[in-house]
Amino acid sequence: MRLRDALKTLTLSLVGLSSIALADEKPNIVIILTDDQGYADVSYNPHSPPEVSTPNIDALAHSSTICTHGYTSGHVCSPTRAGLMTGRYQQRFGIYTAGEGGSGVPLDEVFIPQRLKPAGYVSGALGKWHLGLTEEYHAMNRGFDEFYGFMGRGAHPYFDHSDMDHPIYRGLEPIKEEGYLTTRITEEAVDFINRHKEEPFFLYVAYNAVHAPPEAPEEDIKKVTGDETRDILMAMIKHLDMGVGEIVSSLKKHDIFDNTLLILLTDNGGSGAMHANNAPLRGFKQTDYEGGIHVPFIVSWPAQLEGGKKCDVPMWSTDLFATALDAAGLPMPKDKPLDGKSILPALKGETDKLHDELYWSSAGANGKWAIRSGNWKLVAEKKRIELFNLEKDLSETTDLAAKHPKVVSQLTTKYNTWLDEMADPMSKQGKRWTPNAGALAKNAPAKNMTKEEKKAAREQAKAERIKAREAKQDSQTPESSK
């Protein structure tokens, strides 16, 4: 037991106070973000099929709070990450699509670690970044002290890391790497915890599992479903679950688990291309039905939150910024006001509502948007608008739009008022769908990079790294040797 813990135990025995009353140490904060994991691809979900087995995630869930109405702010990868890292609607700064988010969050937006650093936090980002391709958008230029992972594209091979146009980075430098990427991310997470166990830390573990491509160690792929992709997905989930277990075990080993705020969620709904299971929800990734945005969402903080509970209050990924600041005892920023709110009052049973409404929009080119207000949810795609009562119909099977036109009108007005406050999309497409929205988007000068532009950006970044390395070497060479 560490000295500080021994002293705390002694003090408690003398004065008979609860550990919570004396817990003046700042908590560690760990966010584990999985990728494209299905709502029913965790076996604590009673709707999960028999092939799903996630014993470590289940153990964490049952000792924590399961947030039954946990959402993401995007139905694809990078918009959710942009909202999570800033605590603001990503649409406020023009990010509506994966391409826009992957091109980079504006540099005047502030990320979580930048707010935590003045309070003494050391921060590490691991795995999938997907918030910019070039060095100015790198995690270590957005407040993180350490980075291991990849910057661009949603997908990355799990075994072959030889493409140095899409490399694995350690810090700012691309490295040659070997090993199954899910395992390597876990190893890096455990190493980070081992090295920083004596100081408050923020660790962001963004697994690319279980995003495509379907790849897993051959010995772990079992023919259990008759569906090859689904069978590989189960092996990928096995390694993801093992990783969660090792991170939790490492925190417990160092006696810091109880004072760690650990949040596990998925970046969007399960992917149809990977044969994910989102039961009982409708739809998949890339839709605003529940199956595209309603995700596994678990919160653990034994020192402050009673475990073995469920919380039915709607909350979402954008709330994690404010939650981290609240847990660390830090004030909410005034220079960049947050749209997210701390979820701690809801988890403690102090409130039954965090947001009046939740909004989703991927702008005009595909015409998809949604709003949840109370138990009502309006889902739109181009000309189609559907209304659901989630309290009675979580699976969104019965469209009530024709029966409740006033509700449709009210929610549409609220959505339009919200959208008017948001920035124009970076890609120059319109905010709202029109019959020619797709054509306009294709002809617009796009901030969203083409494949050729992304390659050019990577080549430019590579050239800049070589130049910086040469300049550093030159500065370290004795004058007499020049």
Side-chain angles (χ1 to χ4, degrees):
M1 181 180 290
R2 294 175 298 168
L3 177 60
R4 64 180 182 180
D5 294 325
L7 291 174
K8 183 183 291 183
T9 302
L10 177 61
T11 305
L12 292 173
S13 66
L14 291 174
V15 300
L17 297 175
S18 70
S19 61
I20 294 176
L22 276 177
D24 55 354
E25 295 180 11
K26 294 189 182 300
N28 304 305
I29 300 166
V30 177
I31 296 174
I32 300 176
L33 187 69
T34 69
D35 199 337
D36 291 4
Q37 188 174 7
Y39 190 69
D41 285 335
V42 284
S43 48
Y44 72 78
N45 183 337
H47 296 273
S48 68
E51 69 269 15
V52 178
S53 177
T54 54
N56 294 297
I57 293 175
D58 293 2
L60 177 65
H62 293 313
S63 67
S64 308
T65 301
I66 298 172
C67 303
T68 59
H69 286 259
Y71 289 91
T72 55
S73 65
H75 61 218
V76 288
C77 306
S78 64
T80 290
R81 293 159 202 268
L84 187 159
M85 275 295 156
T86 61
R88 290 154 53 83
Y89 297 125
Q90 62 267 18
Q91 293 90 350
R92 282 203 185 278
F93 40 90
I95 290 178
Y96 293 75
T97 66
E100 290 163 345
S103 297
V105 174
L107 299 176
D108 62 346
E109 291 296 325
V110 182
F111 282 22
I112 297 174
Q114 293 171 295
R115 297 292 186 191
L116 293 176
K117 189 179 291 291
Y121 279 79
V122 60
S123 298
L126 307 175
K128 176 175 173 175
W129 185 236
H130 207 189
L131 291 172
L133 284 163
T134 50
E135 191 162 315
E136 66 268 29
Y137 297 114
H138 191 285
M140 291 182 64
N141 290 320
R142 306 308 296 257
F144 285 97
D145 300 294
E146 299 181 20
F147 176 69
Y148 170 88
F150 60 96
M151 290 178 67
R153 295 210 303 264
H156 194 287
Y158 289 84
F159 291 106
D160 183 2
H161 315 301
S162 61
D163 182 2
M164 297 310 286
D165 284 333
H166 186 34
I168 302 292
Y169 286 81
R170 182 177 299 285
L172 293 167
E173 297 296 325
I175 61 173
K176 293 182 178 179
E177 184 59 296
E178 295 181 356
Y180 187 59
L181 191 51
T182 304
T183 302
R184 287 294 302 115
I185 291 170
T186 297
E187 291 169 346
E188 292 290 329
V190 170
D191 178 64
F192 181 93
I193 293 167
N194 290 343
R195 289 185 290 106
H196 297 293
K197 59 184 179 291
E198 297 291 345
E199 58 191 322
F201 61 77
F202 168 50
L203 179 59
Y204 171 62
V205 187
Y207 286 104
N208 59 313
V210 289
H211 195 291
E215 295 179 354
E218 196 66 36
E219 63 271 19
D220 294 313
I221 301 172
K222 310 299 182 185
K223 295 182 179 179
V224 292
T225 69
D227 177 335
E228 182 180 5
T229 299
R230 179 81 180 159
D231 288 345
I232 296 173
L233 178 65
M234 292 302 101
M236 296 169 75
I237 287 175
K238 174 183 178 179
H239 282 268
L240 176 62
D241 181 71
M242 289 166 57
V244 172
E246 289 187 37
I247 290 170
V248 170
S249 294
S250 180
L251 293 168
K252 290 182 175 179
K253 172 185 173 182
H254 298 300
D255 198 22
I256 56 177
F257 178 73
D258 283 0
N259 199 32
T260 295
L261 171 63
L262 190 159
I263 304 170
L264 183 149
L265 73 163
T266 300
D267 65 345
N268 47 246
S271 167
M274 285 293 290
H275 300 190
N277 190 317
N278 291 325
L281 310 179
R282 176 181 179 179
F284 293 93
K285 173 185 179 179
Q286 298 181 333
T287 75
D288 291 327
Y289 293 117
E290 293 290 285
I293 53 179
H294 189 156
V295 298
F297 199 123
I298 302 166
V299 183
S300 169
W301 189 8
Q304 293 287 339
L305 301 173
E306 183 182 348
K309 296 178 66 177
K310 291 184 179 180
C311 178
D312 300 327
V313 178
M315 58 187 66
W316 62 350
S317 50
T318 309
D319 293 327
L320 301 192
F321 192 124
T323 305
L325 295 189
D326 189 12
L330 297 173
M332 298 300 153
K334 294 182 180 179
D335 56 333
K336 291 280 186 180
L338 303 181
D339 295 305
K341 297 182 179 181
S342 173
I343 65 176
L344 297 182
L347 300 178
K348 293 177 180 179
E350 297 170 357
T351 183
D352 60 2
K353 185 169 76 169
L354 293 171
H355 301 277
D356 292 327
E357 285 83 33
L358 297 176
Y359 300 95
W360 293 268
S361 176
S362 48
N366 62 29
K368 295 178 182 178
W369 60 269
I371 172 176
R372 174 169 178 168
S373 181
N375 289 315
W376 289 114
K377 184 178 172 199
L378 201 64
V379 182
E381 182 174 358
K382 298 181 179 178
K383 293 181 179 180
R384 185 179 74 246
I385 295 182
E386 298 168 288
L387 178 69
F388 304 101
N389 184 327
L390 296 181
E391 182 180 29
K392 299 177 180 178
D393 183 22
L394 188 62
S395 301
E396 297 172 305
T397 58
T398 305
D399 177 15
L400 301 174
K403 288 186 177 181
H404 299 279
K406 287 185 178 180
V407 177
V408 173
S409 177
Q410 290 168 354
L411 295 187
T412 301
T413 298
K414 286 183 177 182
Y415 170 78
N416 283 324
T417 299
W418 170 81
L419 190 61
D420 285 340
E421 297 177 4
M422 300 300 110
D424 291 330
M426 285 185 175
S427 60
K428 308 302 181 185
Q429 63 173 306
K431 288 184 187 179
R432 294 175 173 83
W433 181 81
T434 61
N436 62 346
L440 290 173
K442 288 180 181 178
N443 294 327
K447 165 70 169 65
N448 186 7
M449 294 184 181
T450 64
K451 289 183 178 179
E452 291 74 19
E453 289 170 331
K454 289 179 180 179
K455 184 176 180 181
R458 289 194 293 268
E459 290 174 350
Q460 179 185 351
K462 183 176 180 180
E464 289 173 354
R465 288 194 301 270
I466 293 171
K467 185 178 179 180
R469 210 160 37 232
E470 290 174 345
K472 183 177 180 181
Q473 291 170 349
D474 190 54
S475 67
Q476 294 172 345
T477 304
E479 192 66 35
S480 59
S481 301
K482 293 182 180 178

